[in-house]
């Protein structure tokens, strides 16, 4: 189907999520470009929890009454915060927001920071999904990428998850690690699957600017080896009953990450915490707002006294809204929901038409009902498809 002007171009409220950023780590990994900071001494957890709730209060007028479908504690290493501190944050969210029953509440955890009984306490605090940063089961590979844990800590953490009844957990795995062979990368997937996760994130190590690895690049496997790792991992995951719903994300049916899906489908999210980004649609004003909070934990904590939580806020211009709408949906196996375009961008379909036609013309996208899905080629070359939607580069 080729849609047209019958699609609404009126902004409407998309689902709302909340992202909570906890910025400290035991040690900075050499490949990491996240807003994470080595914890020197004790984390000021009481003050930080107070800051998060004050930050949230400041954001509330923009989202009054809206149901919240998911909460994600990311970092940094959120599992450096005690279950009691996480519980205080969740209670604070519940008392200020309309958190729907059964909302997905995810905690990112580092296998090197969780004690044996911890997951039961996090579960009791309200966590119902855990994303465990395993990365690899090869101790030497973990050492080379600067992780603070070994394979035995992952095994213990997963046992603890199962004991706590937290079956809805993700294992993060990286491939293309320094010195890694294809067989070793596949072995990582097999060991992950042996732990019976509900979800596996499988992504390639990349050298990002402003990281230690970027300054002193390690020797990484070549392109064809990485492609073989990806293909063989896909075979293993498929055979184990996992579906690839996003380029790097695999899940058992029904265990797809609701929080990430909302983000990828251009939903709204409040971002609270140091450097957290947010996106909020304001239909009455006809704008989509983006903002980010004070980035450094010190500056963020100072906002408790100054009230200056925001580092930046702006209305997203029309051409960027087109790009943003397509950017992440093009990474989804079930593609782009064309009927969402108008309500989520406030723009007529004609604003996207030229780029869409170019992508179809190049054999990268095709229509399936009211969705645009990547073809086999489009799935392999997502970056090329995304580039067609860049502002000012329609074809
Ligand atoms: S544990 Fe995660 S957030 Fe912390 S430095 Fe390593 S990759 Fe970055």
């Amino acid at each position: 189907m080729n849609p047209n002007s019958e699609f609404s171009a009126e902004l409407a409220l998309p689902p709302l999520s909340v992202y909570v950023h906890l910025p400290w780590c035991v040690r900075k990994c050499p490949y990491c470009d996240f807003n994470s900071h080595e914890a020197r001494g004790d984390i000021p957890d009481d003050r930080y929890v107070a800051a998060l709730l004050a930050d949230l209060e400041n954001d509330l007028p923009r989202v009054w009454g809206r149901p919240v479908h998911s909460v994600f504690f990311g970092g940094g290493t959120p599992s450096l915060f005690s279950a009691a501190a996480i519980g205080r944050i969740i209670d604070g969210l519940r008392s200020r927001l309309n958190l729907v029953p059964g909302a997905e509440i995810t905690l990112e955890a580092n296998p090197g920071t969780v004690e044996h009984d911890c997951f039961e306490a996090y579960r009791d605090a309200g966590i119902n999904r855990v994303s465990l940063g395993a990365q690899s089961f090869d101790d030497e590979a973990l050492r080379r990428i600067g992780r603070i844990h070994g394979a035995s800590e992952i095994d213990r953490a997963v046992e603890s998850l199962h004991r706590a009844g937290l079956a809805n957990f993700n294992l993060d795995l990286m491939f293309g690690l320094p010195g890694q062979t294809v067989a070793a990368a596949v072995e990582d997937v097999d060991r992950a699957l042996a732990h019976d996760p509900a979800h596996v994130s499988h992504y390639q190590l990349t050298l990002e600017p402003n990281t230690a690895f970027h300054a002193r690049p390690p020797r990484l496997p070549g392109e064809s080896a990485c492609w073989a790792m990806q293909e063989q991992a896909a075979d293993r995951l498929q055979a184990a009953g996992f579906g690839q719903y996003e380029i790097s994300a695999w899940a058992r049916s029904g265990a797809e990450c609701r929080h990430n899906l909302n983000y990828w489908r251009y939903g709204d999210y409040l971002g609270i915490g140091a450097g957290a980004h947010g996106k909020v649609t304001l239909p009455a004003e006809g704008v989509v707002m983006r903002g980010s909070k004070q980035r450094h934990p010190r500056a963020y904590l100072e906002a408790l006294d100054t009230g200056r939580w925001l580092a930046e806020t702006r209305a997203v211009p029309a051409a960027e809204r087109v790009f943003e709408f397509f950017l992440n949906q093009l990474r989804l196996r079930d593609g782009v929901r064309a009927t969402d375009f108008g309500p989520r961008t406030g723009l007529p379909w004609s604003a996207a038409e030229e780029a869409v036609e170019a992508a179809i013309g190049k054999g990268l996208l095709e229509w399936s009902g009211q969705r645009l899905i990547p073809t086999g080629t489009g799935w392999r070359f997502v970056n090329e498809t995304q580039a067609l939607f860049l502002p000012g580069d329609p074809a």
Side-chain angles (χ1 to χ4, degrees), residues 283-296:
E285 286 93 329
V287 291
V288 175
M289 299 296 298
R290 280 197 179 278
S292 65
K293 305 294 168 55
Q294 300 293 347
R295 187 173 162 82
H296 198 280

Side-chain angles (χ1 to χ4, degrees), residues 24-29 31-34 36 75-77 110 135 147:
W24 289 283
C25 292
V26 173
R27 193 170 68 206
K28 185 81 179 174
C29 302
Y31 58 88
C32 176
D33 69 338
F34 301 144
S36 62
T77 304
N110 185 318
Q135 314 311 353
R147 300 292 296 186

Side-chain angles (χ1 to χ4, degrees), residues 299-310:
Y300 182 76
L301 287 170
E302 278 166 15
L304 264 175
D305 302 318
T306 63
R308 284 197 288 273
W309 301 103
L310 279 169

Side-chain angles (χ1 to χ4, degrees), residues 341-355:
F341 180 77
R344 301 213 174 171
T345 63
L347 300 167
W349 181 252
S350 58
E353 213 153 27
E354 208 175 331

Side-chain angles (χ1 to χ4, degrees), residues 91-287:
D91 289 348
L93 293 172
R94 280 195 200 286
S95 64
R96 291 166 178 83
L97 292 165
N98 177 13
L99 211 52
V100 301
E104 177 189 272
I105 307 182
T106 303
L107 178 83
E108 276 186 345
N110 185 318
T113 65
V114 279
E115 304 297 332
H116 272 259
D117 59 350
C118 236
F119 285 120
E120 281 160 31
Y122 286 126
R123 178 205 60 203
D124 292 346
I127 294 296
N128 55 26
R129 183 176 183 274
V130 169
S131 178
L132 197 63
Q135 314 311 353
S136 172
F137 287 83
D138 175 343
D139 284 339
E140 181 53 25
L142 288 166
R143 191 193 59 74
R144 286 201 201 107
I145 60 169
R147 300 292 296 186
I148 60 167
H149 65 269
S152 58
E153 275 96 353
I154 307 172
D155 295 342
R156 277 203 297 273
V158 173
E159 277 166 29
S160 161
L161 280 168
H162 282 300
R163 253 198 327 273
L166 282 164
N168 189 15
F169 70 90
N170 167 58
L171 291 178
D172 266 349
L173 282 184
M174 285 199 292
F175 65 95
L177 304 179
Q180 192 178 43
T181 62
V182 174
V186 176
E187 165 83 15
D188 275 346
V189 176
D190 287 340
R191 288 190 63 179
L193 290 172
H195 281 308
D196 197 21
H199 190 288
V200 174
S201 297
H202 188 246
Y203 55 98
Q204 186 173 350
L205 173 68
T206 52
L207 303 184
E208 301 298 331
N210 303 317
T211 62
F213 271 1
H214 196 261
R216 289 178 300 285
R219 266 181 82 88
L220 298 179
E223 208 175 304
S224 63
C226 287
W227 182 248
M229 291 174 189
Q230 202 169 344
E231 293 275 276
Q232 292 184 32
D235 291 344
R236 292 294 216 275
L237 286 156
Q238 248 156 23
F242 284 70
Q244 185 180 21
Y245 67 105
E246 193 260 359
I247 292 279
S248 306
W250 295 77
R252 293 200 185 282
S253 179
E256 296 83 4
C257 177
R258 283 186 254 154
H259 183 87
N260 283 343
L261 274 173
N262 185 42
Y263 171 71
W264 291 327
R265 287 187 177 136
Y266 210 42
D268 279 358
Y269 50 98
L270 289 183
I272 61 170
H277 289 252
K279 166 189 170 271
V280 174
T281 304
L282 301 173
E285 286 93 329
V287 291

Side-chain angles (χ1 to χ4, degrees), residues 327-382:
L327 177 70
N328 291 316
Q329 291 200 83
L330 290 170
R331 293 173 58 91
L332 295 177
R333 183 75 264 190
D334 74 353
V336 180
R337 295 174 172 180
T339 43
D340 282 347
F341 180 77
R344 301 213 174 171
T345 63
L347 300 167
W349 181 252
S350 58
E353 213 153 27
E354 208 175 331
V356 167
E357 291 307 320
I360 292 172
K362 288 174 190 279
L364 299 167
L365 290 178
E366 61 192 4
W367 283 106
S368 171
Q370 295 191 333
R371 286 180 295 124
L372 275 166
I373 54 170
T375 60
T377 313
W379 189 239
R380 186 163 177 185
F381 298 105
V382 169

